Amino acid sequence: MTLNHNSNLFVGFANRLLNNDLVVNEKINIEVYYDIDNINWDINASVSPNTFLLYLHSLRPVLFLTKAYLEKKDINYLNAALKFIFSWREYSVSETNHNRYTWYDHSVAERTENLIFFLEVYQNLENVKERYESILSIIKTNAEWLFDDNNYTRRHNHGIFEDFSLIKSGYFLNDDGYIQKGITRLDEQLKYAFPNKYIHIENSVGYHIGITAYIKEIYKYLKSVSNEYAKTAYDYFSGAVEFLVYVYKPNLALPLLGDTIGSRESGKIEENYLNRQLEYVQSKGLQGEVPENNIKVYSNDGYFIFREYWDSTDFDQSTWMLFKAGYLSSTHKHADDLSFLLYSKGHDIFIDPGMYNYMIGDKIHEYTNSNFAHNTLIVDGKTYSVSKFNSNKVGLYSYNKKNGYHSIVAFNNIFNGVQIDRTVNIIDGDNFIIIDDILSRDYHKYTQVFHLSNDVEIMDLSKDYALLNIKKTKYCVLLEQLNSSDSVAYIEGNKNNEQFSLMSIGLNQVVPTTTIVFNKLDYNTRFVTSIRILEKRNLYKNNVLYSNNKVLINGVSIEISSRERLPENEVVVEIYGNKAKLINKANSDNQKLSYSFYLLNEITGRKYDSRPYSFLNHAEFKLDKNCSYAIMSYLKNTARETVVKLVGFIRYVGEEFLFEKLDKNQQQPIVEEANIISQGNNLFKFEVSISNFNVLTSKWYIYKNGASHQYIGNNSNFLEYQFTEPGIYSVLYRMNDIYFGEVVFDNFEEIRID
C-alpha cells in the first residue's frame, strides 16, 4: 500500500501500538485503548468504524511495526507484530468470526502484502523457521482467496489492490499462475480505470493520486522482477501524472473533488512522480520544465482547467479555475456537475467541501455529497442520484477560444423536465462571466450556489450582487447578477440543522464555511453572473455592461444565446411481415447526431439484436414470432449528451406482428422522492416514489452504526423493516429497470433506535 514514507511517523505509530494505543491508519488520529494479548477484531472504534476495521484486518499495524524495526532494530516491534498476526489467524478460523473485513477485497490484498513484507524481514533472524512456516501458510491461504474469481472486484480500485497483491504472492511463492492471472486482470482494470488515459475514473483527485502512486509502485516492482508489463504500467502512470500537473492549485493544495479528504496542512507534493513538468509545479518554478498549457480540456472525463500563468516569481498568486461536468462511474462521486472552483491571489475563493466520511446517512456526509455543497445549480431544493442512468445526462459540451476570451459549455439534464446549460467565459485571470441557461415547461425554483472559502468574507450582499473581501490582501471579489435574481440568502456553518455550509479538514473533521445562494422562480430563465477580482481602490471602475443579450467587459463583447438542445426521439416503427424498420425522425441543423437501436426480449430484458451508433437514422430487424420485443432508441450528439427512450413493444398476435407505442411521458423511468414512514414498534416503511418502471429489481442495504448489517432484495419500490437492536441505522437502495439498468442509487437519512 502507498503510504507516507516518513520513518519517524512509522516509529511513532509503532510506539503507540506498544503502549496499548491501537493505531491502524495515519488519517484516523484518535486514541483507541487495546490489549495486545487479547485483540478485539470486532472493535467499534472511531466515528468511522468500517474504515477502522478495514485497516485493522489489513494488518496495517504489522506494517508499522515492521518498518519501525527496520529503523530502530528493536526486536520488540517484531514480537508485537507476531502477536497481531497469530491473533488474527486464530480469530479468522473461529466461530465468532462474523466480520466482513476478515475476508474483504481491500483488506485481504493489503494483508497479504503486509505479511509478505514482514516475512521478508523476519526470515533474516535466527530460530524462526516454525513461525516462518506458519505465516507462510497464512500467506498461501490469502493468495488462494485472491486467485478465486468469486472474490474478485472488477472495475474498482480494490480490484487493482487484489491484482498487485496476487502478483507479489506469485513471485514470493514461485507460482506463475498467480503472476499471469494478476497481470491479465490488472490490464483489464487499468483499461477501465483510465478510459481516456489521463484521469482515474473514480471522481476524486485524492483517489487519483493514491492510484497513481500505487501504479508507480506496480511499475517499479514489475521492473525489478523484469516483467514486461512494467512498460504498460508506466504508460498509465505517466498519463495520470500529466493530469496532476494541471489539477494542483498554485499553492500546491488539492481541489477537494469527490471523496477527497481535506487537511489542515498547507499544500505540499511529497511524492517523486518522475515528471519534469510536475517537478516544476512541485518546486513552484525553481526546477523542472514549464508546463506547456494554460488551458486543459479533458472532455470525455468532464474536466476543464484554467491556469493564468506559470511564472516562478509569484507562482502561488496565479489564478486557477476548475470546471467539472460528467462522470463515467458513480464510485466516490458527488452531485457536483456544473460546479467550479476558483483560486486567485494566493487564496481559495470558491471551494468544494471534500469528503467527511463513508458513513451512509450521516447528515454531514449527505451534505458534502449533495449538490448544495458545490458551486452549481439546484432545482426545487433537491439533489440527484449519481446513478449510471444519469451519467449520460451531464457533461462538457464544447470549448472554444473566441475573440478575447475562452468559453466552455456544459450541460445537466438530470432534473426531470429541466435542461440546464452552464457556460463559463474566461476573459483573463480577474474576469469571468458565467451564464446559466435553463429551459423547462414547468415552474421551478432555481438556485445558484456559491460555496465560499474561509479566506474570503462577505462585505455586502443583495439579490443582485455580493462583495467579498479576500482577507490579508488588497483585493476583493465582486459577484454581480446582471440578470436580476429574485432573492438571496446565506448559510453559515451548521447553525441551521437543515442547511449546512462546511468543508472537510480530515476524516470526520469539518470547519464551518459560508454559502451564498441566489434564487429565481420561473419556467425558462437565465442567470448572467459576472465575477471580477479587483483591487479595493478600483472597485467601482470599469463596470460590466449587459443589454440585448450581450455582455461588454474590458472591451470584450460576449454574445449570449441558447444553444440548440438535443431533440426528442421521434421513432416510427414500420412492420413488413417478419421485418421491422425503425426510423428516428429527430434531426438537428447544428448538431451531428448519432442513432442506435436495440431490440430487447420483453420478458428477460436481454438483447435480441442491436445496431451500434451511426449517422443513419434508421435500422431494419428480422423478427421471430416466438419472441416479443421491447424497442429501445438511443440518440446522442458529439458531446455524448444522450437521450434513451423505451419506444414501445412488438408482439406476435394471431398471425401478425403488432407494435404498441408508448406515450412520450411513459418512455423513461422517473424517480421523484423518498420517504420514511414510522409504523410503530420500530417498524419502518422505506418508500421511493417512482413511475414508468417496467420490471423492477431493488437492492436494500441496511447499515448499523456505519457498518454493513443486512442485505435484502425484492421487486418493490418499498421495504418494510423492523429494527430489533439499538443503534444508528441507514438504508441504501439501488433500483434497476429491466430495460434501463440501474436508474437510482441513493439512501435514506439516518434513524436512531434506542
Side-chain angles (χ1 to χ4, degrees), residues 407-430:
S407 183
I408 181 81
V409 182
F411 59 91
N412 183 345
N413 302 326
I414 290 178
F415 296 102
N416 186 37
V418 180
Q419 295 177 308
I420 305 173
D421 272 12
R422 167 165 278 188
T423 303
V424 175
N425 299 292
I426 302 173
I427 294 88
D428 53 40
D430 294 331

Side-chain angles (χ1 to χ4, degrees), residues 136-174:
L136 187 65
S137 175
I138 299 173
I139 292 173
K140 289 178 179 178
T141 300
N142 280 263
E144 277 299 306
W145 192 95
L146 293 169
F147 185 82
D148 187 343
D149 287 337
N150 292 319
N151 302 321
Y152 186 59
T153 305
R154 301 183 186 279
R155 299 191 165 194
H156 198 281
N157 64 74
H158 291 186
I160 297 176
F161 299 159
E162 288 183 275
D163 295 331
F164 189 28
S165 186
L166 186 61
I167 292 166
K168 279 188 171 180
S169 298
Y171 280 105
F172 188 73
L173 300 171
N174 295 314

Side-chain angles (χ1 to χ4, degrees), residues 60 74 272 304 386 489:
R60 183 72 69 87
D74 184 343
N272 178 8
F304 168 89
V386 292

Side-chain angles (χ1 to χ4, degrees), residues 256-420:
L256 301 183
L257 298 172
D259 282 346
T260 301
I261 300 176
S263 173
R264 291 183 183 273
E265 299 176 3
S266 58
K268 184 179 180 182
I269 306 175
E270 295 183 347
E271 184 80 24
N272 178 8
Y273 288 100
L274 313 176
N275 179 286
R276 293 284 288 160
Q277 292 186 1
L278 190 56
E279 183 183 354
Y280 184 90
V281 175
Q282 199 168 9
S283 66
K284 294 189 175 182
L286 300 180
Q287 301 172 31
E289 298 175 1
V290 180
E292 298 174 358
N293 302 293
N294 295 90
I295 296 280
K296 287 297 290 187
V297 185
Y298 299 98
S299 297
N300 292 333
D301 297 290
Y303 293 85
F304 168 89
I305 303 172
F306 165 76
R307 175 76 175 241
E308 184 183 12
Y309 57 79
W310 295 99
D311 294 352
S312 60
T313 51
D314 52 355
F315 187 89
D316 61 1
Q317 299 299 299
S318 175
T319 296
W320 172 96
M321 173 184 270
L322 185 146
F323 182 38
K324 186 178 188 306
Y327 61 99
L328 301 171
S329 162
S330 61
T331 305
H332 302 301
K333 164 75 176 163
H334 292 187
D336 57 2
D337 298 287
L338 301 189
S339 69
F340 73 96
L341 291 81
L342 183 63
Y343 169 102
S344 188
K345 317 305 180 191
H347 297 272
D348 283 311
I349 297 173
F350 300 116
I351 60 171
D352 251 18
M355 188 191 87
Y356 178 60
N357 62 22
Y358 297 103
M359 298 279 284
I360 302 297
D362 176 276
K363 285 189 175 182
I364 297 179
H365 171 277
E366 297 305 298
Y367 159 75
T368 58
N369 284 45
S370 75
N371 52 7
F372 194 82
H374 301 85
N375 303 296
T376 185
L377 291 121
I378 300 173
V379 179
D380 297 329
K382 296 178 181 178
T383 189
Y384 57 86
S385 169
V386 292
S387 64
K388 184 177 180 181
F389 177 68
N390 284 335
S391 63
N392 287 323
K393 299 178 181 180
V394 289
L396 296 183
Y397 181 77
S398 65
Y399 163 72
N400 290 286
K401 185 176 181 181
K402 299 191 175 183
N403 186 19
Y405 66 101
H406 301 270
S407 183
I408 181 81
V409 182
F411 59 91
N412 183 345
N413 302 326
I414 290 178
F415 296 102
N416 186 37
V418 180
Q419 295 177 308
I420 305 173

